[in-house]
Amino acid sequence: MDAQRRGRGEQMDPADQWVLNPNTGEYELRLNPSAAQSGTAPRTATARSATARSAAPRGSGPRGGATRTEVPPQRRRRGAPEEPPPGRRGGRRPVRPKPNKAKKVLLWTGGTMAFVLVGVSVAGYIYLQHLEGNVSTTDVGSAGAGNFSKDEAFSVLIIGTDKRTGEGNEGYGDKGSSGHADTTILLHVAKDRTNATALSIPRDLIVNIPDCPTKQEDGSEKIVPGLQNARFNRSLGESGRDPGCTMRTVKENTGISVDHFMMADFNAVKTLTTAVEGVDVCVEKPVDDKESKLVLPAGESTVEGERALAFVRTRKSFGNSGDLDRIKVQQQFLGSLMRKMSSSDTLTNPSKLLKLAEAATEALTVDKAIGNVGTLKDVALELKKVPTKNISFTTVPVVDNPAETVKATVVLDDSKAPQVFDMIENDVSFTEVKQQEKKEKDAQAARLKGTKSAASEVRVRIMNGGAVAGSAQKTLQYLQVEEGVTKSDNAGNAPAELARTTLEYAPDQADQARRLADIMGLPGAALKPGESVNNSQGLPAMTLTLGKDFKGAGVKLKAPVEAADVEKSTADKVKCAS
């Protein structure tokens, strides 16, 4: 369409415009107002035939076959010089200023973008509805959160099942399996989005599986009985256990609240890696696995589809061919997948994003609270706020099962596991990259330095905030009888449970707080500057709240373990599987 001229040798008047006719839905060429004022019939042309009509000689009318559409004359702009009436030669026609080229480009671009945005919004809505239909959901009832909050910490249990679905998966998993929890990762995202932790849970970990209420297809509820000293992977699939049962099992054995779940089978790895056009992996030595048919040279390679699935499923090529070594390889793979998904090459490529959206929604089954595309998008955007260097991968600390002669399962390492679970539940980062975190640790250490009052001057009220029943009374007796803290009393149960013991005190009670911290072995992190509360005698006192970490009266409390005490990797680093 030529918007610059109406015919050979004839310059278009700048006042001529292409205007959308609301009656036809097509663009029409509306000529300058002078034509209407001069008595010449104003002309319009649709966008589809503009070129042909503009070639017609000036003055051609119905006899010449041209179609004319009457358009109401445009009003003359205020201040513009009048055109001379027809038949008069009152002088030269005033020269109109030529429009600014940049402004014209902006007008065209702005108009085009407006239509594009309208088109995208309509098409986008339809496409979102399509994606919505891809997502499968499971009602897990009270096992998870009722909704997703963008302002709180959250934990998502990512479950990879060994269920065979889809063409080409006959060589993987157990034939006829209902889908056990083959690969399980608890992804916890801190409230301030500065860090996240992906905790792998070995499928051969011995746990207690609690009774599990499950929703049936007819809407009724069935209680699946629990199991004692069973492998973790039995928390899903067996006896009709759903992902809610796996969520409850994690809570029962780690103490970490699980808000949501995402479950996928073998096809998810294939489709997701294909959508991003491959994931980069690295191996220290060549791989030629006859069982998984994985063949890789030493060094870096890009895998997608079937090769990607073989990479995360193979056991024989890494470490001692056990599940724990396979977990390390899977963590490295997920870190690479995260880097690829968050890269500018993916985020700025509409084709890849659409493929990724299709693959993700088709592959996933999620809980109802996040079972729509808008909420899944919110989850992804919140995770994207966490720098990849602060996304840590680690595994539940375990040791070989001492009850077995031939080692096949593992149990929790009681010397490390509780502290790791506590760090996750309390948003403690496994990375040492935050300056603010260092400042906070320095401030906590400073609270323990300074003068200490006599034990007899310490005034404290004791509350139970998650410790074993009776702990507040036993601590009161211990402090009064053995430590001389006579100005103390039992204030009952705290309003809410706490993961860690705290001591809140007013500024003028700092010396008392340091003495009590010394007696009980409280770390600086347990001391919380705040306000005093009147005790049973009406006198201002500190408040000692015994949390879930409380081990008993007279037992010294410990600070959370440092990140260096557990094996970990981060999503920003490339590591070669060995």
Side-chain angles (χ1 to χ4, degrees), residues 529-547:
E531 299 178 352
S532 61
V533 179
N534 288 346
N535 61 13
S536 57
Q537 287 80 42
L539 298 174
M542 301 182 295
T543 300
L544 174 67
T545 305
L546 306 177

Side-chain angles (χ1 to χ4, degrees), residues 192 194 433-443:
D192 61 5
T194 58
V433 296
K434 295 183 299 178
Q435 187 64 26
Q436 184 60 39
E437 185 176 298
K438 182 178 183 302
K439 291 181 180 178
E440 178 63 21
K441 288 181 178 178
D442 291 343

Side-chain angles (χ1 to χ4, degrees), residues 41 61 70 72 106 136 147 179 239 284 292 360 378 466 487 577:
E70 293 296 328
L106 285 174
S136 300
N147 55 24
S239 302
E284 288 189 356
S292 67
D378 289 341
K487 296 177 181 178

Side-chain angles (χ1 to χ4, degrees), residues 236-257:
L236 178 71
E238 186 177 301
S239 302
R241 293 187 180 90
D242 64 11
C245 299
T246 310
M247 296 167 71
R248 295 175 193 274
T249 301
V250 172
K251 173 68 174 178
E252 174 85 7
N253 291 273
T254 68
I256 302 172
S257 300

Side-chain angles (χ1 to χ4, degrees), residues 275-560:
V276 297
E277 297 180 3
V279 171
D280 298 330
V281 298
C282 181
V283 293
E284 288 189 356
K285 56 186 179 181
V287 174
D288 188 359
D289 192 321
K290 305 303 180 184
E291 291 186 16
S292 67
K293 299 179 177 61
L294 177 66
V295 178
L296 290 175
E300 295 186 3
S301 299
T302 300
V303 296
E304 66 176 275
E306 191 70 36
R307 290 180 78 207
L309 178 57
F311 182 81
V312 298
R313 289 288 300 162
T314 187
R315 283 173 176 243
K316 304 299 182 183
S317 302
F318 308 113
N320 61 5
S321 303
D323 190 50
L324 296 179
D325 288 300
R326 187 184 65 150
I327 285 174
K328 294 177 184 178
V329 173
Q330 290 173 345
Q331 291 172 349
Q332 294 162 18
F333 177 85
L334 285 174
S336 181
L337 179 59
M338 285 184 175
R339 291 193 297 274
K340 188 64 177 285
M341 291 173 68
S342 62
S343 69
S344 59
D345 181 52
T346 299
L347 296 178
T348 60
N349 188 319
S351 175
K352 283 187 181 180
L353 284 176
L354 291 179
K355 289 179 182 177
L356 192 55
E358 285 283 354
T361 52
E362 286 181 352
L364 293 176
T365 298
V366 301
D367 58 287
K368 283 189 174 295
I370 58 173
N372 62 75
V373 172
T375 307
L376 286 173
K377 178 204 69 177
D378 289 341
V379 173
L381 290 177
E382 291 305 305
L383 178 59
K384 189 176 182 297
K385 293 178 181 179
V386 183
T388 54
K389 65 181 180 180
N390 289 1
I391 300 177
S392 303
F393 291 95
T394 190
T395 304
V396 171
V398 295
V399 294
D400 288 334
N401 188 349
E404 294 176 337
T405 304
V406 178
K407 305 304 180 183
T409 62
V410 292
V411 296
L412 291 179
D413 182 348
D414 289 332
S415 67
K416 292 183 179 180
Q419 290 88 346
V420 169
F421 300 153
D422 184 69
M423 290 175 69
I424 293 173
E425 181 73 4
N426 289 282
D427 284 1
V428 178
S429 175
F430 280 72
T431 56
E432 300 176 344
V433 296
K434 295 183 299 178
Q435 187 64 26
Q436 184 60 39
E437 185 176 298
K438 182 178 183 302
K439 291 181 180 178
E440 178 63 21
K441 288 181 178 178
D442 291 343
Q444 292 170 358
R447 292 169 196 160
L448 298 174
K449 297 177 180 179
T451 58
K452 301 179 180 69
S453 66
S456 59
E457 297 301 316
V458 174
R459 188 179 289 114
V460 61
R461 50 199 294 271
I462 306 164
M463 304 186 78
N464 191 329
V468 176
S471 293
Q473 185 60 33
K474 290 180 180 178
T475 301
L476 176 66
Q477 293 172 352
Y478 164 73
L479 291 177
Q480 289 184 340
V481 176
E482 298 187 34
E483 299 293 342
V485 183
T486 54
K487 296 177 181 178
S488 51
D489 59 6
N490 184 350
N493 291 328
E497 291 188 353
L498 300 178
R500 299 197 66 80
T501 298
T502 62
L503 175 63
E504 184 176 0
Y505 58 96
D508 61 351
Q509 296 172 321
D511 55 345
Q512 297 181 45
R514 286 190 284 268
R515 173 57 65 192
L516 189 59
D518 184 57
I519 292 172
M520 297 192 63
L522 297 177
L527 274 60
K528 305 293 182 184
E531 299 178 352
S532 61
V533 179
N534 288 346
N535 61 13
S536 57
Q537 287 80 42
L539 298 174
M542 301 182 295
T543 300
L544 174 67
T545 305
L546 306 177
K548 295 178 182 178
D549 63 334
F550 183 73
K551 303 301 181 184
V555 179
K556 303 288 185 179
L557 291 172
K558 297 179 180 179

